[in-house]
């Protein structure tokens, strides 16, 4: 029995070694590609025509969809920030998803809305709509009140009501920078290949000073948990997505801030309410839809336009969020398993899906089992203490390298955090996140695996921001992915 | 074996540690360097900005400012460039700013960069020459439209549009069909840029539009003419109303709609006929055009379009009826006679959206029995279909008691039915 256990652990050790090398090689390639792409992009911004498009009548109209569920605390701030964007023609559609708090009343009171009658075209089937609210004082704001049915269904409702060829989804606790939308639309308009979806960068709103719905000054939050997430978001957006975008391989565009071509989304059937990460599922389906129809398409990620969103500041909420993201990733990959290594889907089937499966989805499981296996190997006497410590040090140091490289990329590109103190704190948290925070994350993601296996696949509600203690009963929803 | 692995790991760890320290140091150095660079730039910008304005105000000739010609890599060079772009944006200093770019060597510097093989350097130079409005560079920029690169072409189109001369316009229009056929630039990009040439470009746009055989280029030119709202383009637009390509027809209608009135009745008939076009966006543009042209004979056809399968067409038809017809009430009432509930709801929605509902409410106080009767009937149908919010609002806050009494009855009857 002991011999069997020893062989098992030994075999697993070799697997871990190989897998670890493979994952880190993939990350290094992504980092190198991202560095080249992002530095090129930064130089190109200098001659970007987005300022011309702000005043151009040729810029396509956009509907900004803001699904809201129990958002009375932040909804006005969000609506004000979306109404303040620099864009020639846009409408803001807030979809009140049967909130139990005063979300609707707050909107009616603040913007002097009145109920209007409107025919509702249920192109994408949704839960019943209870009413439409409009004010001639703010003609580009429409609030739709509907029965509670989830975020995906609310977004479908917004698409049904939208009258623009493009729509942009924004979370109800997020704040757009004033040029964010036009910066997202510019490459879409300029691309000779139809862009069906385009996403921007999400950054943590915690610590930011706001005034009249706009970001006035940038600061960092005091909460360590929020700080970890800031560094994590930098890593995810500045090198993860930029690298994948270089090969049109984006599967995750954050629902907190993404632009879509409405016709393509409607043709693909809209959002699927049964998925816990509706945004990722939609992007995956848009890829497949275009590939199956052999139509040229692009799904872009732009590293410049910024949407600020609140991130959870307590472990319980963060755990819920991460479990849900991982569950969503799992659902999307399982639903699209027929495309995996299927020659019909080209690089989507051979590179993109395998990347998400073997690196993004499985890595936390392998990582946690790896920690256990290395310790067991030591206990069985198969590894020396020196080797075990060296291996663990390698795992941690590589994580530190990726985090600090992300902060470096931020520094050479956008430099959003202006003070010296900000820089040192980011670097500090980039180092220490590898001692505990990363491992807790892997643990949550493993929990998502277990939950999926035992059939617990429901949405976990997340309350974000400072000092929140959300519950399912009175919780808020945020995007399905960072 | 483990001993060897340990050695490898140790070497790798040492290397990784070195890389991390380098990244940390580079990050801090980068921050310090950037702060220093921008501090110097800001100082120079302030210094030169003040000085240039003073010199121009004093009437110093452009030839006498050669002391501000700095080496191209220096901080002063970049500061002066920033200042000169600032002058270009100020009407008072605009011409002096453009002349200074030339005199201080910026034009020749960026023209040399056009030869560079690096596409970013080249694109950046193209953009700068456009922003500097260097008319003399047109001849060097226009051939870049033939480049086999999707990055340089749209920037060149934009640069030429910023220069804004007819020569620059010709440079783009000469190559327009070729640009579209090679798919190196999107239509929106080109149309946005062509618009920058302004009303002076209309004769050339029409001349080239007549010449284009391919419908994409022709539709694109018509689109720009529509945005510019050019009455002198009307004959060209009319000649395209029976074009075989639906987009050309739609864009021609857009030109007619944007130009407004002044059409002979025979030509209006052609527009009315297009309300029956099989393609929805042609019908949409026809309805929109008729919204700006007063034409009695359009009423009946517009009324049919209130039940169009496409909501945009229905909306445009309702707006056109409200804007142009004296018999809008009759038309809406007749249309509401349909048995199709969905169609009736659409009409109700359009009546609300166009604010025509408020005219109907006011008509409840009208001395004319016909107007009163028809308005009352429409409001009753609206209330019965659930479009009674404006009626209820009037009941809550309206001033006229007679109207309120009428509305109370209408709402009750609507609810009963």
């Amino acid at each position: 029995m002991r011999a069997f256990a020893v062989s098992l652990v030994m075999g697993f050790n070799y697997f871990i070694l190989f897998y670890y090398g493979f994952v880190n090689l993939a990350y290094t390639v992504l980092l190198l590609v991202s560095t080249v792409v992002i530095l090129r992009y930064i130089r190109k911004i200098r001659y970007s025509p987005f300022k011309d498009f702000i005043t151009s009548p040729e810029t396509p109209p956009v509907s900004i969809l803001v699904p809201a569920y129990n958002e009375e605390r932040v909804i006005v701030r969000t609506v004000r920030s979306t109404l303040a964007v620099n864009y020639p023609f846009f409408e803001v559609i807030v979809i009140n998803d049967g909130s139990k708090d005063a979300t609707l009343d707050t909107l009616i009171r603040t913007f002097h809305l009145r109920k209007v009658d409107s025919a509702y075209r249920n192109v994408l089937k949704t839960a019943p709509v209870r009413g439409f609210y409009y004010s001639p004082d703010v003609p580009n704001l429409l609030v739709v009140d509907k029965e509670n049915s989830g975020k995906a269904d609310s977004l479908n409702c917004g698409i049904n009501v939208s009258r623009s060829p493009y729509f942009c989804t924004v979370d109800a606790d997020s704040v757009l920078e004033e040029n964010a939308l036009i910066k997202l639309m510019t490459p879409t308009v300029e691309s000779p290949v139809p862009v069906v979806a385009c996403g921007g960068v999400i950054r943590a709103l915690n610590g930011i000073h706001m005034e009249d719905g706009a970001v006035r000054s940038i600061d960092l939050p005091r909460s360590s948990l929020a700080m970890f997430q800031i560094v994590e978001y930098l890593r995810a957006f500045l090198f993860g997505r930029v690298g994948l975008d270089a090969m049109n391989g984006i599967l995750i565009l954050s629902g907190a801030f993404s632009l879509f071509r409405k016709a393509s989304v409607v043709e693909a059937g809209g959002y699927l309410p049964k998925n816990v990460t509706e945004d990722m599922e939609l992007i995956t389906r848009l890829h497949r839809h275009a590939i199956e129809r052999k139509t040229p398409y692009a799904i872009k990620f732009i590293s410049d336009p910024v949407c600020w969103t609140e991130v959870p500041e307590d472990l319980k909420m963060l755990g819920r969020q991460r479990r849900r993201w991982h569950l969503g990733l799992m659902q999307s990959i399982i639903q699209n398993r027929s495309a995996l290594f299927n020659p019909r889907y080209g690089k989507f089937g051979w590179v993109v899906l395998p990347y998400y499966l073997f690196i993004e989805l499985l890595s936390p499981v392998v990582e946690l089992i790896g920690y256990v296996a290395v310790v067991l190997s030591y206990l069985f006497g198969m590894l020396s203490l020196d080797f075990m410590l060296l291996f663990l040090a390698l795992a941690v140091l590589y994580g530190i390298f990726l985090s600090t490289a992300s902060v470096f990329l931020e520094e050479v590109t956008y430099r959003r955090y202006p003070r010296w103190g900000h820089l040192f704190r980011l670097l500090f948290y980039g180092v220490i996140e590898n001692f505990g925070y990363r491992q807790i994350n892997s643990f949550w993601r493993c929990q998502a695996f277990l939950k999926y296996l035992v059939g617990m696949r429901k949405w976990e509600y997340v309350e974000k921001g400072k000092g929140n203690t959300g519950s399912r009963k009175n919780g808020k929803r945020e995007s399905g992915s960072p | 074996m483990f001993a060897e692995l340990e050695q490898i790991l140790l070497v790798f760890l040492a290397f990784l540690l070195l890389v991390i320290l380098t990244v940390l140091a580079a990050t801090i150095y980068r921050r310090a360097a950037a702060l220093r660079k921008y501090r110097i730039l800001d100082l120079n910008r302030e210094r030169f900005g003040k000085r240039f304005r003073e010199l121009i105000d004093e009437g110093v000739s452009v030839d006498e400012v050669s002391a501000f010609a700095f080496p191209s890599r220096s901080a002063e060079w970049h500061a002066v460039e920033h200042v000169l772009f600032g002058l270009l944006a100020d009407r008072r200093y605009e011409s002096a700013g453009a002349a200074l770019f030339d005199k201080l060597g910026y034009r020749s510097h960026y023209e040399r960069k056009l030869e560079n093989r690096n596409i970013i350097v080249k694109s950046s130079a193209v953009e700068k020459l456009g922003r500097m409005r260097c008319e003399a560079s047109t001849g060097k920029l226009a051939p870049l439209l033939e480049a086999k690169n999707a990055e340089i072409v749209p920037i060149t189109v934009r640069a030429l549009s910023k220069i804004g001369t007819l020569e620059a316009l010709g440079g783009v229009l000469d190559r327009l069909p070729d640009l579209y056929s090679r798919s190196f630039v999107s239509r929106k990009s080109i149309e946005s840029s062509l618009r920058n040439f302004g009303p002076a470009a209309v004769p050339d746009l029409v001349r080239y539009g007549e010449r284009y055989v391919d419908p994409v280029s022709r539709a694109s030119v018509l689109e720009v003419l529509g945005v510019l709202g050019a009455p002198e383009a009307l004959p060209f637009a009319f000649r395209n109303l029976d074009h075989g390509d639906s987009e050309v027809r739609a864009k021609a209608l857009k030109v007619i709609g944007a130009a407004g009135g002044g059409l002979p009745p025979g030509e209006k008939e052609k527009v009315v006929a297009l309300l029956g076009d099989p393609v929805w966006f042609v019908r949409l543009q026809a309805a929109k055009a008729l919204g700006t042209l007063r034409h009695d004979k359009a009423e009946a056809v517009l009324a049919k379009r209130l039940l169009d399968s496409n909501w945009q067409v229905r909306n445009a038809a309702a707006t056109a009826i409200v804007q142009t017809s004296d018999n809008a009430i009759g038309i809406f009432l007749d249309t509401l006679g349909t048995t199709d509930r969905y169609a009736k709801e659409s009409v109700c929605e359009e009546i609300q959206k166009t604010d025509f509902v408020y005219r109907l409410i006011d008509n409840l106080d009208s001395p004319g029995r016909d107007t009163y009767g028809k308005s009352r009937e429409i409001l009753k149908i609206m209330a019965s279909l659930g479009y009674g919010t404006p009626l209820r609002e009037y009941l809550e806050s309206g001033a006229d008691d007679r109207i309120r009494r009428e509305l109370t009855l209408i709402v009750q009857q609507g609810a009963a039915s």
Side-chain angles (χ1 to χ4, degrees):
Chain A
M1 188 62 199
R2 188 183 189 302
F4 175 73
V6 167
S7 335
L8 194 72
V9 172
M10 197 69 184
F12 199 75
N13 274 344
Y14 282 114
F15 169 70
I16 295 277
L17 210 61
F18 170 77
Y19 183 83
Y20 181 75
F22 169 69
V23 168
N24 287 338
L25 181 71
Y27 280 144
T28 309
V29 169
L30 267 184
L31 179 63
L32 291 174
V33 172
S34 304
T35 307
V36 173
V37 171
I38 210 164
L39 289 177
R40 274 179 65 89
Y41 179 74
I42 281 294
R43 295 179 69 192
K44 284 188 202 173
I45 285 178
R46 291 176 200 159
Y47 50 83
S48 164
F50 80 86
K51 282 184 183 157
D52 296 340
F53 282 119
I54 290 175
T55 52
S56 171
E58 299 295 337
T59 308
V62 174
S63 299
I64 302 176
L65 308 185
V66 186
Y69 177 69
N70 291 350
E71 304 281 2
E72 62 178 5
R73 189 176 60 89
V74 290
I75 192 67
V76 171
R77 180 192 72 193
T78 304
V79 172
R80 284 211 168 115
S81 95
T82 49
L83 286 170
V85 295
N86 278 335
Y87 199 86
F89 316 102
F90 70 98
E91 59 177 347
V92 177
I93 301 171
V94 181
I95 308 107
N96 178 45
D97 185 23
S99 295
K100 291 169 188 160
D101 66 358
T103 303
L104 182 63
D105 291 338
T106 308
L107 285 168
I108 291 173
R109 209 174 44 246
T110 311
F111 297 101
H112 310 292
L113 302 173
R114 65 172 195 221
K115 196 169 184 189
V116 290
D117 307 311
S118 185
Y120 179 62
R121 289 163 190 88
N122 218 356
V123 179
L124 301 167
K125 302 293 171 222
T126 68
V129 168
R130 299 194 286 224
F132 296 87
Y133 295 83
Y134 167 85
S135 164
D137 301 340
V138 196
N140 58 340
L141 171 66
L142 179 74
V143 174
V144 185
D145 181 32
K146 63 182 271 291
E147 288 177 10
N148 178 260
S149 54
K151 186 179 174 187
D153 196 57
S154 301
L155 285 167
N156 283 339
C157 173
I159 296 169
N160 286 340
V161 174
S162 142
R163 300 206 150 187
S164 310
Y166 290 89
F167 69 88
C168 174
T169 59
V170 175
D171 271 1
D173 58 357
S174 302
V175 170
L176 290 185
E177 283 198 348
E178 58 182 15
N179 287 329
L181 187 57
I182 194 76
K183 282 181 180 172
L184 210 54
M185 181 54 92
T186 302
T188 308
V189 169
E190 286 219 301
S191 170
V193 178
V195 176
V196 296
C198 184
V201 173
I202 306 295
R203 288 179 186 245
L205 183 65
N206 311 46
I208 300 295
H209 303 293
M210 306 271 308
E211 205 178 293
D212 297 330
V215 172
R216 279 289 156 253
S217 65
I218 294 170
D219 207 344
L220 289 173
R222 288 184 178 183
S223 153
S224 292
L225 209 52
M227 281 302 302
F228 287 134
Q229 290 171 81
I230 288 174
V231 175
E232 201 182 11
Y233 277 37
L234 288 181
R235 203 172 51 229
F237 284 100
L238 290 187
F239 90 74
R241 290 191 196 173
V242 171
L244 288 165
D245 177 60
M247 55 172 183
N248 197 22
I250 284 280
L251 271 200
I252 304 174
L253 288 180
S254 173
F257 180 44
S258 295
L259 181 77
F260 294 90
R261 189 163 168 252
K262 192 168 85 178
S264 305
V265 173
V266 171
E267 205 179 301
Y271 287 91
L272 283 192
K274 62 182 178 182
N275 270 65
V276 294
T277 50
E278 72 297 325
D279 36 15
M280 181 184 180
E281 192 282 327
L282 177 64
I283 299 292
T284 315
R285 198 146 32 88
L286 287 173
H287 272 290
R288 286 191 69 165
H289 201 259
I291 293 168
E292 283 162 8
R293 276 154 191 76
K294 296 193 171 88
T295 49
Y297 78 105
I299 292 178
K300 281 181 178 284
F301 170 75
I302 314 291
S303 57
D304 182 25
V306 170
C307 172
W308 301 87
T309 196
E310 287 188 0
V311 298
E313 288 190 4
D314 72 59
L315 276 173
K316 189 177 164 191
M317 292 303 137
L318 187 62
R320 283 183 181 183
Q321 184 189 58
R322 297 311 157 95
R323 280 192 294 272
R324 190 165 64 73
W325 286 356
H326 213 65
L327 195 59
L329 177 64
M330 216 177 319
Q331 280 182 331
S332 290
I333 289 176
I334 290 169
Q335 278 163 5
N336 292 285
R337 60 189 180 278
S338 61
L340 202 65
F341 301 118
N342 184 337
R344 186 183 171 199
Y345 292 94
K347 70 181 172 203
F348 177 74
W350 281 97
V351 182
V352 179
L353 276 180
Y355 167 83
Y356 279 96
L357 172 64
F358 293 113
I359 294 179
E360 294 292 336
L361 187 69
L362 293 178
S363 64
V365 180
V366 178
E367 185 183 345
L368 273 198
I369 297 176
Y371 287 130
V372 176
V374 170
V375 174
L376 279 180
S377 306
Y378 168 69
L379 293 177
F380 283 134
M382 293 181 301
L383 278 183
S384 68
L385 180 65
D386 290 350
F387 189 86
M388 184 185 80
L389 291 177
L390 280 176
F391 190 79
L392 290 177
L394 184 68
V396 168
L397 273 188
Y398 196 78
I400 293 175
F401 164 64
L402 292 179
S403 303
T404 48
S406 308
V407 179
F408 173 72
L409 260 184
E410 161 73 2
E411 191 55 32
V412 295
T413 52
Y414 304 113
R415 212 178 302 121
R416 294 275 174 167
Y417 300 99
R419 293 189 215 140
W420 276 107
H422 294 160
L423 180 64
F424 288 123
R425 279 188 77 194
L426 287 174
L427 288 171
F428 174 71
Y429 278 95
V431 173
I432 65 162
E433 71 156 351
N434 293 283
F435 300 95
Y437 178 74
R438 204 178 89 188
Q439 289 75 16
I440 293 174
N441 249 306
S442 297
F443 174 71
W444 286 325
R445 289 156 78 186
C446 285
Q447 274 188 322
F449 251 98
L450 294 175
K451 284 196 158 213
Y452 186 85
L453 291 177
V454 297
M456 291 167 67
R457 296 163 198 177
K458 280 190 179 168
W459 184 298
E460 287 192 84
Y461 285 75
V462 178
E463 183 85 9
K464 297 189 281 188
K466 198 176 177 183
N468 294 316
T469 51
S471 66
R472 197 190 184 295
K473 194 178 168 191
N474 189 24
K476 298 194 317 166
R477 286 193 315 255
E478 32 81 74
S479 280
S481 36
Chain B
M1 184 189 170
F2 276 116
E4 279 173 20
L5 263 177
E6 268 183 40
Q7 289 296 318
I8 295 170
L9 272 179
L10 212 56
V11 171
F12 197 68
L13 271 174
F15 172 71
L16 209 51
L17 203 61
L18 195 70
V19 173
I20 291 169
L21 290 174
T22 310
V23 170
L24 287 172
T27 310
I28 294 165
Y29 170 76
R30 174 80 191 188
R31 170 66 62 106
L35 286 177
R36 185 174 170 275
K37 180 182 155 189
Y38 287 110
R39 197 174 55 242
I40 294 171
L41 192 63
D42 285 346
L43 277 173
N44 282 326
R45 266 199 296 230
E46 201 184 325
R47 187 159 62 100
F48 294 130
K50 226 168 156 184
R51 192 72 195 116
F52 272 115
R53 279 182 167 79
E54 280 169 8
L55 288 173
I56 296 168
D57 288 341
E58 286 164 14
V60 173
S61 76
V62 168
D63 294 334
E64 292 174 54
V65 291
S66 50
F68 296 97
F70 297 103
S72 63
R73 284 178 181 272
S74 66
E76 288 85 353
W77 163 275
H78 291 293
V80 169
E81 188 181 285
H82 274 260
V83 168
L84 293 183
F85 277 125
L87 293 181
L88 274 188
D90 188 336
R91 286 204 134 193
R92 206 166 131 207
Y93 302 104
E94 195 180 350
S95 56
L100 281 167
F101 269 127
D102 205 4
K103 183 70 195 165
L104 296 176
Y106 286 88
R107 178 169 71 87
S108 54
H109 171 75
Y110 287 115
E111 280 183 353
R112 277 198 303 278
K113 296 263 182 189
L114 294 180
E115 308 298 323
N116 200 300
R117 291 180 69 178
N118 182 321
I119 207 71
I120 293 180
V121 173
K122 202 173 187 167
S123 302
S124 191
V126 171
E127 194 266 347
K128 288 268 171 71
L129 288 167
R131 259 205 298 155
M132 288 173 194
R133 298 174 210 161
C134 289
E135 291 180 30
S137 301
T138 307
K140 291 193 173 166
L141 289 173
L144 291 175
L145 294 173
E146 284 149 29
K148 290 184 175 62
N149 184 292
E151 207 163 311
I152 198 94
V153 174
I155 297 161
T156 309
V157 174
R158 270 202 310 280
L160 288 168
S161 80
K162 282 182 179 160
I163 291 172
T165 59
L166 291 180
E167 189 194 350
L169 176 66
V172 179
L173 292 178
D174 276 335
R175 295 165 178 88
L176 196 60
D178 185 45
L179 287 175
Y180 283 139
S181 69
R182 289 186 302 148
S183 302
F184 277 162
V185 60
S186 72
R187 279 185 59 173
K188 282 282 177 203
S189 278
I190 290 205
E191 286 163 5
S192 291
S193 300
L194 288 178
R195 187 185 60 91
N196 290 345
F197 286 98
V202 171
D204 278 19
L205 285 168
V206 171
R207 192 161 53 83
Y208 276 92
E210 298 271 23
R211 254 173 40 190
Y212 293 144
V213 180
D214 78 302
V216 178
S217 302
R218 192 174 273 230
S220 204
V221 163
L222 282 163
E223 166 70 25
V224 178
L225 289 168
V227 174
L228 291 172
E232 56 269 51
L234 280 175
F236 171 55
F238 277 117
R239 284 194 288 281
N240 283 291
L241 285 181
D242 44 14
H243 196 277
D245 186 85
S246 54
E247 207 179 343
V248 173
R249 293 197 299 278
K251 302 290 182 190
L253 284 163
K254 202 171 172 185
V255 176
I256 292 166
L263 301 181
E267 305 288 14
K268 286 182 184 173
E269 284 305 317
K270 260 179 145 179
V271 178
V272 175
L274 284 170
L275 277 172
D277 197 281
V279 180
W280 73 268
F281 53 79
V282 179
R283 298 198 299 276
L284 169 72
Q285 292 302 336
K288 281 186 173 177
L290 286 167
T292 61
L293 312 169
R294 287 190 75 85
H295 187 48
D296 301 338
K297 291 180 186 168
E299 273 181 10
V301 198
L302 278 170
K304 278 189 194 166
R305 294 279 70 89
L306 285 174
L307 302 176
D308 197 282
S309 57
N310 184 283
W311 68 263
Q312 286 104 323
V313 180
R314 288 200 299 273
N315 183 249
T319 309
I321 288 169
V322 171
Q323 282 173 346
T324 62
S325 174
D326 297 328
N327 185 30
I329 298 175
I331 294 170
F332 282 128
L333 188 57
D334 287 347
T335 316
L336 284 168
T338 176
T339 50
D340 183 342
R341 186 185 165 96
Y342 182 75
K344 282 207 272 199
E345 283 184 351
S346 294
V347 176
C348 292
E349 193 181 354
E350 300 311 334
I351 291 173
Q352 273 204 13
K353 272 191 211 136
T354 50
D355 280 350
F356 193 70
V357 65
Y358 299 108
R359 212 200 291 180
L360 294 175
I361 292 173
D362 288 341
N363 285 344
L364 294 177
D365 197 20
S366 166
R369 288 205 60 78
D370 187 49
T371 307
Y372 160 80
K374 283 178 177 173
S375 299
R376 193 178 191 288
E377 190 56 29
I378 293 175
L379 290 171
K380 203 173 110 186
I381 295 170
M382 287 179 73
S384 70
L385 290 170
Y387 285 79
T389 302
L391 284 63
R392 283 189 293 275
E393 277 176 358
Y394 194 94
L395 283 174
E396 282 170 20
S397 55
D400 191 313
D401 284 340
R402 187 177 159 202
I403 292 179
R404 290 176 61 173
R405 274 196 305 278
E406 287 284 350
L407 285 177
T408 309
L409 280 173
I410 289 170
V411 170
Q412 282 168 357
Q413 287 168 355
S417 60

